[in-house]
Amino acid sequence: MSRYRSTSVHLLGGCNASSDPSQGVCNPSGQVFDTKSHNSVHPGLYVCDASLIPCSLGINPCLSIATVAEHVSRNLVSDVLKYKSDKGMILVNNLGDAKPGSITSVKLDSHLKSMVVVKETMRGYVGGMPCTAYLKMQMNSRTRKELDRKSRLHGLSHPLLRGQVGGYVLFNAVETDKLHIVDGEVDLCEVDERTPYTQYMHYTLLLAASSGSRYILQGKKVLNPYLFGSFAWSQTMTMNVTFNKVCIDSSKEDMLNLKGKLSISMIELLKCLVSLEGNMKRRFVGVLLQNLFRTYISQVPRGNHRDFNPSEFHQKPYPESILHEIQTVINKIRKLHGPLIKIHVVAHCAGGLAIHIALMGGHVSATHIASLSCTNSSMFFKLTTSSKVKMWLPLIPMSMVILGKNKILPMFKTSKASSRQRLLKSIARLVPRYERCTCDECEVLSGIFGNPFWHDNISPSMHYWLNKQNLPRLPMAGFPHLRKICNAGFIVDSNGNNSYLIHPERMALPTLYISGGRTFLVTPQTTFLASNYMKLHHPDFRHERVVVDGFGHSDLLIGEESYKKVFPHIISHIGLAEQGKNYALGNERRRHNTEALAWGGDPLEEGNRGFWGCISPLVTIWLLFLFLVMVVYIFH
Ligand SMILES: [Zn+2]
C-alpha cells in the first residue's frame, strides 16, 4: 500500500483519493468513481474517513482524518443543497457570497424565515400494531409539489398550509429504534380535480431506520362536507395511513404493506395549538379556519373545475332502448345459441334485484344460468343511515305528485323541461349528500338517488359519459316500488308483500356477491345477508362474498381501478363455473351450514361510530369552530 517506508499502527487507505480514476477509488472530494464510465462518479456516494488517505503519514493521523472528513462533508452539504434546490425542495441563496469553508454561512431563502412550526403527536394502530408519530411541520416552506404540473393546474392550497415534515415515528413492531423522517411533506388542504368540495390533508413521509431499511408512510385525512351522518370531528382528527417498506427488488418476503389509522387526541390538539411557533402563527390559524369554514359550512368548491370534461373523449353512438326484460334477453340468447346454452349473469344494483325477482318469481329458470355475480345488489337492500332517512321522508310520493302524469324526468341541463320537472330538479339539488359535484346532472341525480359513486374512483371520461351522455331521461315510475323494497330491507312486490323470498328453491346456482367497503347507498350487510341466505338454502352450491376496500356503489363496476380490484373476483367465479366447479365440497358445505346461521354480525361491517356519530354534524362542526376560536383567543 505504501510507497514510503514510514510505518503507522493506525489503519489508513483502502479507498484512497486520487485525481486519476486509475490510481484511486475516490476523487479529491471523496466521491466514489464510477468505473463503468470514464471520469464520472456515483452520485451521492461518499467516503469520508481515514480510508481516503492513500498512505501512512508517519505521525498520529487523528487531525488529518478530521481535516479530510471536514473537507468531504463541505462538498457533501453543498451537493445535498444543490440536489434539493434542483428538486424544488428548498431554494438556497447563491452560495458564492458565503465564507469559504463555513457551513453555517449557507443562507436559506428569505421566504423560509416567515414559517410556522407545528408540532403534532398522533397515535394509533397500523396493521393492528401500536404506532406513534411525532411530527414537526414547517409550514410555508416550499415543497416539491409546487413543481408538480397537476397541482398547479388545480389550484394550490395556501402556502401556509403546505410544508416540510421532520420528526420521527415509533413503530416498535417493525423497528425497535426510532424511524427518523428523512424527507417529509404535508399539505393540509389538498383538493383533487375530481372532488373539488372535499379537502384532503396529505402527509408523505420517508422514514429511515438504523437497520438501514427505508419506509414510506402516507397519511390522508378526508375533510368531506357531506351533511347527514357526517363525522366531521373524527374525520379531522383521524388519518388513514399506509405503511410500506422500500424494496429494491420486490421479492415477496421483503414486502411490507400495512394499513391503519393514527389520530390526534383533544389534549394533543390543544398542546399543538399552544406550541405553535413562528411569526405567522395567527395567520396560519386564520387560514386554516378559513379553509375549514369553506369546506364544511359555506361549501365552496376550489380550483378551476368548471370543465370536468375529458380531453380524450370518444364519441360513440349509444342505442336508445337498451333495456329489455330479463326473460326476453335470456330467451333471445337461447334462440341464437341453442337451448342448452348457459348464461353467466353479472348484475349491479337494481339489475341484481331484477334478476333475483326474475329467478325467485319463476320468470326465469336457474337451469339457464351458469353463474350469478352481483355488485352491491341481491334480494336484500340494506341502506346507509343517510339513505334510510331519505327513504323514510315522503320525498318519493311528493316527487310523484310534482311530476304528475309524466313520470319521465329529462336529465340534461340543456334539455327542455316543464316547470314541474324543473321544480323537482331544484328540490333534488337541495338534498344533502356525501359528495358534491360541480356538474349539474350529477347534482340532480345524486339528490334523487344518493351519491352512486365516490368521485375519486371514477375517471373524468366515465364521469362525463355518465352525466352528459348516458342518461337523457330518468324513468321515475319505478321509484315507489324501489322505496318499498328499501324500507322493507328485502325484495317485496309492488304492493309491498313478501312474495319472492318464499321461493328460495328456485335459486339453485353458484353465486358471488360483492360489496364496496367504503359504503354509499347500501351497506355491506346487503351481500352478507344474501350470501347467508344462499348458504342456508343451497349449501351444495359454491357461494362467495367479497367486500372490496375503498369502493362505494356503482364504482365497483365502472371505477377506474375496478379491472384490477373487482373484476378478478368475477372472472374467477365465472372461471370456476366454466370448469364445472359449481358445487361445495364436504368441508365447504359444513362451513356453509355454520355460516348460514350466523345472521347476527357481519365480520366485515364497519363499527359503530359512537357518540359523535349520533350528533348532528352541523352541531359538531360549529362546536369545533367555537373550540378553535376560543383556543386562539386564549393562547395568542
Ligand atoms: Zn360528479
Side-chain angles (χ1 to χ4, degrees):
M1 183 177 79
S2 168
R3 281 179 280 149
Y4 306 99
R5 291 191 179 271
S6 53
T7 56
S8 170
V9 290
H10 298 279
L11 294 170
L12 297 166
C15 298
N16 55 299
S18 165
S19 44
D20 179 359
S22 66
Q23 298 291 312
V25 177
C26 303
N27 71 8
S29 302
Q31 290 177 287
V32 178
F33 288 123
D34 184 356
T35 49
K36 283 191 183 134
S37 59
H38 188 62
N39 266 350
S40 73
V41 291
H42 290 287
L45 181 59
Y46 290 83
V47 173
C48 192
D49 63 1
S51 50
L52 274 179
I53 301 170
C55 59
S56 171
L57 300 165
I59 51 162
N60 191 323
C62 190
L63 282 174
S64 310
I65 295 170
T67 311
V68 164
E70 196 180 334
H71 169 73
V72 172
S73 54
R74 191 186 305 152
N75 288 312
L76 202 149
V77 168
S78 67
D79 261 19
V80 169
L81 290 174
K82 185 170 175 290
Y83 172 80
K84 283 197 165 188
S85 80
D86 284 351
K87 296 273 171 186
M89 287 150 83
I90 293 178
L91 284 185
V92 181
N93 269 0
N94 197 346
L95 286 172
D97 61 357
K99 257 187 241 163
S102 153
I103 293 167
T104 49
S105 62
V106 175
K107 283 185 196 156
L108 295 179
D109 192 329
S110 58
H111 183 78
L112 291 183
K113 284 179 190 160
S114 53
M115 59 171 87
V116 175
V117 176
V118 188
K119 287 177 200 149
E120 200 176 49
T121 305
M122 301 190 90
R123 292 189 170 81
Y125 291 87
V126 176
M129 299 168 282
C131 178
T132 312
Y134 299 90
L135 309 179
K136 188 174 176 180
M137 306 187 284
Q138 294 184 340
M139 310 312 288
N140 203 24
S141 46
R142 294 193 181 169
T143 61
R144 233 164 307 177
K145 215 176 258 161
E146 276 160 87
L147 301 176
D148 184 359
R149 193 182 62 86
K150 202 178 161 201
S151 43
R152 219 187 294 150
L153 266 178
H154 303 297
L156 283 169
S157 55
H158 194 281
L160 263 174
L161 300 177
R162 283 174 287 138
Q164 294 179 11
V165 187
Y168 61 93
V169 174
L170 282 183
F171 194 12
N172 289 338
V174 175
E175 294 276 347
T176 45
D177 291 340
K178 284 177 186 173
L179 293 164
H180 289 278
I181 299 170
V182 288
D183 192 9
E185 286 190 3
V186 65
D187 189 337
L188 293 183
C189 286
E190 198 174 77
V191 169
D192 190 283
E193 165 196 27
R194 290 177 277 194
T195 50
Y197 288 92
T198 305
Q199 300 205 13
Y200 302 95
M201 291 192 177
H202 248 137
Y203 296 70
T204 309
L205 313 176
L206 175 65
L207 306 168
S210 56
S211 65
S213 301
R214 296 284 183 275
Y215 301 90
I216 290 174
L217 188 150
Q218 283 188 304
K220 190 176 177 187
K221 292 180 188 174
V222 186
L223 312 185
N224 193 335
Y226 59 75
L227 295 176
F228 277 109
S230 152
F231 307 102
W233 178 260
S234 65
Q235 269 186 352
T236 323
M237 299 298 128
T238 310
M239 172 160 91
N240 291 302
V241 170
T242 59
F243 187 86
N244 297 298
K245 190 170 186 176
V246 180
C247 302
I248 295 165
D249 60 338
S250 50
S251 57
K252 274 270 157 70
E253 69 255 37
D254 235 21
M255 303 252 268
L256 181 71
N257 299 312
L258 301 173
K259 278 184 185 167
K261 280 190 170 126
L262 297 182
S263 55
I264 184 164
S265 68
M266 188 78 121
I267 296 165
E268 288 296 341
L269 181 73
L270 207 63
K271 273 195 211 163
C272 164
L273 286 168
V274 172
S275 67
L276 280 184
E277 289 167 22
N279 51 357
M280 291 186 71
K281 54 191 175 188
R282 265 173 182 275
R283 178 107 177 84
F284 168 75
V285 175
V287 172
L288 188 63
L289 284 179
Q290 204 184 337
N291 266 276
L292 291 176
F293 187 88
R294 189 161 60 182
T295 303
Y296 285 123
I297 292 169
S298 65
Q299 300 193 349
V300 180
R302 206 174 74 206
N304 180 24
H305 305 279
R306 283 276 146 231
D307 43 359
F308 194 23
N309 293 356
S311 48
E312 73 306 344
F313 179 69
H314 309 291
Q315 202 136 17
K316 276 184 190 161
Y318 194 72
E320 277 281 36
S321 54
I322 195 79
L323 291 169
H324 303 279
E325 283 184 35
I326 291 169
Q327 199 181 6
T328 321
V329 172
I330 290 175
N331 286 342
K332 187 89 185 166
I333 296 171
R334 293 179 66 224
K335 216 172 173 182
L336 282 170
H337 298 277
L340 292 176
I341 193 86
K342 281 193 160 206
I343 300 154
H344 295 284
V345 179
V346 180
H348 172 74
C349 186
L353 275 176
I355 185 78
H356 281 87
I357 290 174
L359 279 163
M360 288 193 291
H363 307 287
V364 166
S365 161
T367 51
H368 303 323
I369 313 276
S371 76
L372 175 62
S373 310
C374 290
T375 49
N376 267 339
S377 58
S378 64
M379 51 221 124
F380 298 95
F381 226 64
K382 293 294 176 188
L383 304 185
T384 59
T385 318
S386 60
S387 312
K388 240 185 239 163
V389 170
K390 217 157 99 179
M391 279 297 162
W392 288 333
L393 298 174
L395 287 174
I396 288 177
M398 272 162 55
S399 316
M400 293 300 135
V401 173
I402 293 173
L403 279 177
K405 264 187 187 167
N406 183 7
K407 299 273 190 291
I408 292 177
L409 189 67
M411 284 308 292
F412 297 157
K413 207 178 180 183
T414 47
S415 44
K416 274 189 190 153
S418 69
S419 53
R420 285 160 169 261
Q421 291 165 331
R422 280 202 302 274
L423 174 66
L424 185 61
K425 282 166 96 170
S426 37
I427 294 173
R429 283 186 202 97
L430 295 175
V431 173
R433 76 276 325 267
Y434 284 87
E435 259 185 359
R436 300 208 80 100
C437 182
T438 46
C439 155
D440 185 69
E441 288 82 5
C442 201
E443 284 286 276
V444 172
L445 200 67
S446 58
I448 292 170
F449 266 117
N451 289 80
F453 48 77
W454 290 104
H455 274 75
D456 47 1
N457 281 344
I458 298 286
S459 71
S461 328
M462 179 56 89
H463 186 272
Y464 184 85
W465 180 79
L466 277 175
N467 292 314
K468 308 283 184 195
Q469 300 278 323
N470 173 40
L471 195 69
R473 288 177 293 275
L474 186 64
M476 297 280 288
F479 276 63
H481 186 188
L482 194 59
R483 182 176 185 241
K484 281 185 181 137
I485 292 174
C486 290
N487 285 340
F490 58 89
I491 293 178
V492 291
D493 62 21
S494 53
N495 297 318
N497 299 321
N498 175 16
S499 43
Y500 301 112
L501 284 181
I502 50 173
H503 289 297
E505 77 283 355
R506 294 174 178 167
M507 288 280 296
L509 42 82
T511 58
L512 165 68
Y513 292 104
I514 305 178
S515 271
R518 192 180 164 202
T519 30
F520 250 165
L521 291 181
V522 296
T523 67
Q525 211 197 351
T526 298
T527 55
F528 173 73
L529 294 176
S531 193
N532 276 358
Y533 183 91
M534 292 306 295
K535 284 169 184 169
L536 186 71
H537 295 290
H538 291 283
D540 294 350
F541 280 93
R542 192 167 49 79
H543 301 299
E544 294 162 82
R545 180 214 174 200
V546 179
V547 175
V548 191
D549 248 11
F551 283 79
H553 186 72
S554 53
D555 36 340
L556 276 169
L557 266 190
I558 57 171
E560 214 173 356
E561 300 220 303
S562 303
Y563 75 96
K564 56 182 177 189
K565 292 184 176 161
V566 183
F567 294 176
H569 296 293
I570 299 173
I571 303 281
S572 125
H573 182 66
I574 292 176
L576 288 170
E578 286 285 302
Q579 291 164 33
K581 292 178 183 162
N582 283 341
Y583 300 98
L585 301 169
N587 270 343
E588 210 177 348
R589 276 188 63 174
R590 241 167 281 136
R591 188 166 55 81
H592 280 178
N593 283 330
T594 9
E595 283 177 5
L597 295 169
W599 292 84
D602 175 4
L604 298 173
E605 188 82 55
E606 277 181 36
N608 193 355
R609 307 283 189 120
F611 172 72
W612 291 103
C614 44
I615 292 226
S616 158
L618 265 180
V619 174
T620 321
I621 294 157
W622 281 113
L623 280 177
L624 172 70
F625 264 91
L626 215 64
F627 167 74
L628 287 174
V629 171
M630 259 167 54
V631 166
V632 171
Y633 270 89
I634 294 170
F635 294 103
H636 291 278

